[in-house]
């Protein structure tokens, strides 16, 4: 219903649904007539709830996708690395796989940056020049995490070579401890009491897992794996601890030095990969130069190794996109499910012996993950406590600010 007001008198007229714009005829002779059109009010009560419901459904869908993606990434990568390092046949050189993963990641991120720039080649080149070449100081800052992540990824392969997938998965959760430690030292952050308790549980759980495996190995007589390289559990443990240490340091360093820069996550990873590749080449020829010259760079490569390389490179990029839709509780579920999946899969794939001590230690680690991510709600106006809690929550996101490298 629309209303036409002429000379102060109200006249009503109803328009059919076929007319998009109604035509008005001024009946009076006076030129001072005023015509006011009030558009008909449409019933929009159903559109707002429907839109809100769609947004809610989409958010829930993204959360479930995040849960599945994070769980599979955490579980499958550890299992795949372990299988690749212990299967029969020629064992590939792990430093070459790390280098190839960086190359794959660089190409992928360049394609994503090109897409961000509207698939305009000139704009793409200008952006690369402006970000990398014209801003050398910012690029040089990325050298530290680039070197750290190359060393970390090589250590993770060493750990996967000497620790079963379940023990590797549990032990690598010590990166929570190292991240918290560097946050307290470098960023002067304060942890709440529940987080300190979670770190204690984490240490106790990892110790129980390692002791369980040591006792089991002693009972068996310390026999090595039937296939693959000789197993050295102590070397694998130290490699995992070193990887956790470097992971915590790199995450906090990135947050302190590079956070706040107006650079997309894909461009940041272009910088990281560009600087990681030279370090990767040096690592290959320093550690494995003789073997590479003798047997070739691609020794032991087959479809499974290429799958592992793409999983290591692309999996981290996928997680980086998905992780922003996951809260701390969901991340805890994903990590916990990954540990459970790794344990079950190791029993059937690697003849892993699940003991009561291992199960108890893994349970403590899972509990510590949830407890560390738990943020109690405070009633009242305790601003300092709220700020400390918010900062401590950001601790968990220190590594997600930088794409997961493994």
């Amino acid at each position: 219903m629309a209303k036409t007001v002429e000379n102060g008198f109200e006249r009503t007229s109803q328009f059919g649904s076929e007319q998009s714009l109604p035509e008005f005829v001024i009946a009076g002779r006076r030129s001072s007539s005023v015509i006011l059109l009030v558009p008909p009010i449409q019933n929009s009560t159903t559109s707002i709830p429907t839109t809100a419901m769609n947004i809610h459904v989409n958010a829930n869908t993204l959360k479930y996708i995040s849960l599945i993606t994070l769980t599979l990434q955490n579980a499958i990568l550890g299992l795949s690395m372990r299988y690749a390092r212990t299967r029969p046949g020629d064992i590939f050189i792990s430093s070459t796989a790390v280098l190839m993963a960086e190359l794959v990641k660089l190409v992928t991120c360049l394609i994503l940056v090109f897409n961000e720039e509207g698939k305009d080649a000139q704009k793409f080149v200008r952006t690369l020049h402006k970000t990398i070449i014209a801003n050398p100081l910012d690029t040089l800052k990325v050298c530290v995490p680039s070197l750290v992540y190359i060393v970390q990824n090589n250590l993770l392969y060493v750990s996967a070579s000497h620790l079963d997938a379940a023990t590797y998965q549990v032990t690598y959760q010590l990166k929570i401890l190292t991240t918290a430690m560097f946050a307290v030292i470098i960023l002067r952050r304060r942890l709440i009491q529940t987080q300190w308790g979670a770190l204690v549980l984490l240490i106790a759980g990892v110790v129980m897992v390692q002791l369980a495996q040591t006792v089991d190995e002693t009972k068996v007589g310390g026999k090595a794996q039937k296939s693959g390289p000789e197993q050295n559990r102590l070397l694998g443990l130290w490699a995992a601890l070193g990887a956790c240490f470097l992971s915590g340091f790199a995450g906090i360093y990135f947050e302190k030095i590079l956070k706040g820069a107006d650079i997309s996550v894909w461009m940041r990873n272009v910088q990281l990969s560009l600087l990681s590749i030279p370090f990767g080449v040096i690592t290959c020829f320093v550690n494995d130069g003789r073997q590479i010259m003798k047997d070739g760079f691609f020794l032991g490569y087959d479809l499974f190794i290429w799958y592992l390389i793409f999983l290591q490179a692309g999996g981290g990029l996928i997680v980086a996109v998905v992780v922003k839709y996951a809260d701390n509780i969901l991340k805890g579920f994903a990590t916990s499910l990954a540990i459970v999946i790794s344990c079950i899969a190791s029993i059937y794939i690697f003849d892993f012996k699940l003991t009561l001590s291992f199960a108890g230690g893994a349970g403590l680690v899972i509990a510590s993950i949830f407890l560390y991510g738990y943020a109690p709600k405070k009633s009242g106006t305790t601003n300092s406590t709220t700020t400390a809690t918010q900062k401590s929550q950001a601790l968990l996101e220190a590594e997600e600010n930088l794409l997961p490298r493994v």
Side-chain angles (χ1 to χ4, degrees):
M1 181 70 66
K3 295 182 179 180
T4 305
V5 181
E6 183 177 358
N7 294 332
F9 298 100
E10 186 172 285
R11 183 183 305 169
T12 61
S13 60
Q14 187 167 357
F15 310 107
S17 58
E18 302 139 6
Q19 296 176 350
S20 58
L21 288 176
E23 296 180 2
F24 296 97
V25 179
I26 303 177
R29 296 181 179 178
R30 296 182 182 178
S31 61
S32 60
S33 300
V34 178
I35 299 178
L36 177 63
L37 176 65
V38 181
I41 300 175
Q42 298 178 352
N43 186 10
S44 60
T45 56
T46 58
S47 60
I48 296 177
T50 303
T51 304
M53 185 176 66
N54 290 336
I55 294 174
H56 182 66
V57 170
N58 290 336
N60 285 337
T61 303
L62 288 173
K63 283 191 175 183
Y64 285 120
I65 293 174
S66 303
L67 175 62
I68 295 172
T69 304
L70 292 173
T71 301
L72 293 179
Q73 167 67 11
N74 288 334
I76 293 178
L77 182 58
L79 292 168
S80 299
M81 289 175 67
R82 175 64 178 175
Y83 176 74
R85 299 300 293 169
T86 58
R87 64 179 183 161
D90 293 332
I91 304 300
F92 71 101
I93 304 172
S94 58
S95 59
T96 64
V98 173
L99 177 59
M100 293 306 299
E102 291 299 326
L103 285 170
V104 171
K105 194 173 298 181
L106 174 62
V107 173
T108 304
C109 289
L110 284 173
I111 293 173
L112 292 170
V113 171
F114 179 73
N115 187 65
E116 275 187 343
E117 299 301 327
K119 300 180 181 179
D120 186 340
Q122 292 184 350
K123 189 177 179 181
F124 170 69
V125 173
R126 285 197 302 268
T127 302
L128 290 178
H129 182 272
K130 178 182 176 181
T131 306
I132 299 174
I133 300 176
N135 196 3
L137 187 60
D138 182 71
T139 303
L140 287 176
K141 289 178 181 178
V142 189
C143 283
V144 175
S146 298
L147 174 60
V148 167
Y149 277 110
I150 283 290
V151 177
Q152 176 196 340
N153 288 345
N154 279 281
L155 287 176
L156 288 177
Y157 270 111
V158 174
S159 179
S161 300
H162 298 281
L163 294 178
D164 58 81
T167 306
Y168 162 84
Q169 192 73 254
V170 174
T171 305
Y172 191 50
Q173 301 311 313
L174 282 174
K175 64 184 179 180
I176 298 175
L177 172 65
T178 58
T179 303
M181 178 184 70
F182 282 112
V184 171
I185 295 173
I186 298 176
L187 301 180
R188 305 295 181 186
R189 282 184 177 159
R190 297 175 59 187
L191 302 183
I192 59 178
Q193 293 181 352
T194 55
Q195 289 177 319
W196 285 114
L199 295 178
V200 173
L201 286 179
L202 177 64
I203 296 173
V206 172
V207 169
M208 285 183 64
V209 166
Q210 292 297 331
L211 288 177
Q213 295 304 102
T214 303
V215 171
D216 183 64
E217 191 178 57
T218 305
K219 288 180 180 179
V220 178
K223 293 182 180 180
Q225 190 86 0
K226 291 182 181 180
S227 60
E230 182 181 354
Q231 305 292 286
N232 187 335
R233 184 169 298 278
L234 185 60
L235 176 61
L237 173 61
W238 280 111
L241 293 177
C244 292
F245 183 87
L246 294 176
S247 175
F249 170 75
I252 295 302
Y253 173 89
F254 181 83
E255 184 178 2
K256 182 177 178 61
I257 303 299
L258 303 176
K259 189 178 179 181
D262 188 18
I263 300 177
S264 71
V265 67
W266 310 124
M267 180 61 75
R268 181 61 77 194
N269 274 265
V270 169
Q271 289 180 316
L272 284 167
S273 295
L274 277 175
L275 295 173
S276 295
I277 288 172
F279 290 132
V281 173
I282 294 172
T283 303
C284 284
F285 287 96
V286 169
N287 292 340
D288 306 300
R290 290 183 180 179
Q291 188 176 4
I292 291 175
M293 296 299 294
K294 178 183 176 182
D295 300 321
F297 187 89
F298 296 103
L299 171 69
Y301 274 59
D302 57 12
L303 287 178
F304 186 83
I305 302 303
W306 284 111
Y307 146 79
L308 180 60
I309 289 171
F310 277 91
L311 178 65
Q312 183 179 355
L317 298 177
I318 294 173
V319 170
V321 175
V322 171
V323 78
K324 62 182 178 180
Y325 300 107
D327 54 17
N328 291 335
I329 296 177
L330 192 142
K331 292 175 190 175
F333 269 116
T335 306
S336 303
L337 286 174
I339 293 175
V340 173
I341 292 173
S342 297
C343 291
I344 296 174
S346 296
I347 294 173
Y348 293 98
I349 299 175
F350 306 112
D351 294 327
F352 172 70
K353 301 277 191 290
L354 182 62
T355 63
L356 185 61
S357 179
F358 184 96
L364 288 179
V365 171
I366 291 173
S368 70
I369 294 170
F370 281 103
L371 185 59
Y372 191 82
Y374 172 70
K377 295 182 179 180
K378 299 290 184 179
S379 58
T381 57
T382 54
N383 293 332
S384 59
T385 306
T386 303
T387 304
T389 304
Q390 290 174 348
K391 288 183 178 180
S392 62
Q393 282 180 329
L395 214 59
L396 294 172
E397 317 240 337
E399 284 195 343
E400 279 77 13
N401 290 335
L402 192 60
L403 288 187
R405 314 299 286 180
V406 170

